Amino acid sequence: MSVLNLVAIVTLLGGAAWTLPALIQRRFRDPMRLHLCLSLFLMGVGNVLYQPPVLRFVDDCTFAGFTKVTYNMAVLTGLCLMVGFLRESPLNRWRFPWPWEIGALLVCLVGMILATVLLPSPRRNHVLTSAFLVDWRVRAFYNLGNFYLLFGYAACAVLAGGHARRGRSLRRLSLATISVGLTGLALSCFFRFLWVNVPVLREPGRLITYEDDFVFGQIATIVVCAGLTLPFLVSVVQIAQERLDCRAQFHGLEELWNRLVEFHPELVLDHRSRRRRLVPANAQAVYRRYVECRDGLTRLGPYLRLAAEDGSDPARHDDPRTSAQLIDRALRIIADRGEGGDALPMTPTFVLAPEGRYRIDGYDYENDLVALIRLSDELRALRTGSVPVRRPPAGSPAPSASAR
């Protein structure tokens, strides 16, 4: 198996696997994804069957020519579904490709099966050489296959190019790349059609041979695979970036969370996370820790007010450093009174509430999260004597915070 074949197979089957979870979630009621998944899967399986070791093994288990016919059936059916996918629009029910496309596909497949049945067993695993192409049944087999491949690749190239002109930047680049690759595959099929029917092209010493056309077709396939893979790679990068941002936010809250949980262990909603060294860095874990920190600050409210009254310096509630010093004094008061001491009967205070925290469309979670991370950094700086980094976590908007 060549490297180009391996890349094509991995890309096609990997693309089919990538669309499968979303299909399962939608209970296979998403026609666009269903067309795409089946198309990539069938073309990937077809390319696997095309490999000589697989072809020999399957033929030994069945009969001569079975694998070649099955390979072409899979590729042509996958191409028909790809045409349907590119003509598709989001629907709530299954939609087949146009009837004449299915009719042309069935005519070509039936003709290729009949041509294979009419051939003697030694000729059924034919290749594109003059020794086989002298037989009209072999030429009919390739002409029928090339007819649909040429039509399918050309139609997909035109449709993908049309979608590319109307899409956004990433979608435009992906579809334009796919369109270029499909155009190359259509040209490769056109040359193969000439190669089968014009004996002069098969004479020795010609500038362009079928081997050159085969390599050209493989390169065009890789271009198509690159276009199909581009959205996948971008989504992987985005997922990785989101995971890194969540990890930074999760650990950014760690100092504040540890200080609060030390006095109020009941704040922890998921005690399993305390026993694991590796905490999953996802949005759910960040939100859970955020809720636990807010709950802890609410419980600390009476002591915060007491700490503000006992402070010798004028209280400034417009920056995280002042709030961190206030929390530090409040925690010291709790420690002096003992963990089992009763809560003070005072009105609680809300620490580091972002300005306009209650928006028209709901609570401003992102700004409040950034404010608490800055507060946690200041608490860490108070404990270690270091200077906190004055920047918000990656992926978070700049906060507008105040304390009251």
Side-chain angles (χ1 to χ4, degrees), residues 46 49-50 66-78 105 109 112 126 141-142 145-146 149:
L49 294 174
Y50 178 75
F66 174 82
T67 312
K68 197 170 189 68
V69 172
T70 305
Y71 152 70
N72 282 278
M73 290 179 64
V75 172
L76 267 61
T77 304
L105 172 67
L109 291 178
M112 295 171 76
H126 43 73
F141 182 92
Y142 284 114
N146 278 326
L149 287 174

Side-chain angles (χ1 to χ4, degrees), residues 246 249-250 253 257 260-261 266-276 278-296 365 369 372:
C246 287
Q249 292 168 346
F250 186 84
L253 292 170
W257 184 83
L260 294 173
V261 168
E266 68 276 8
L267 291 173
V268 181
L269 301 178
D270 185 3
H271 289 276
R272 293 175 299 174
S273 63
R274 299 193 69 184
R275 295 193 296 266
R276 288 196 301 259
L278 296 177
V279 180
N282 52 38
Q284 182 180 3
V286 173
Y287 185 72
R288 184 171 59 243
R289 177 162 284 190
Y290 162 81
V291 170
E292 291 166 354
C293 288
R294 267 297 166 207
D295 188 12
Y365 164 69
L369 175 63
L372 291 186

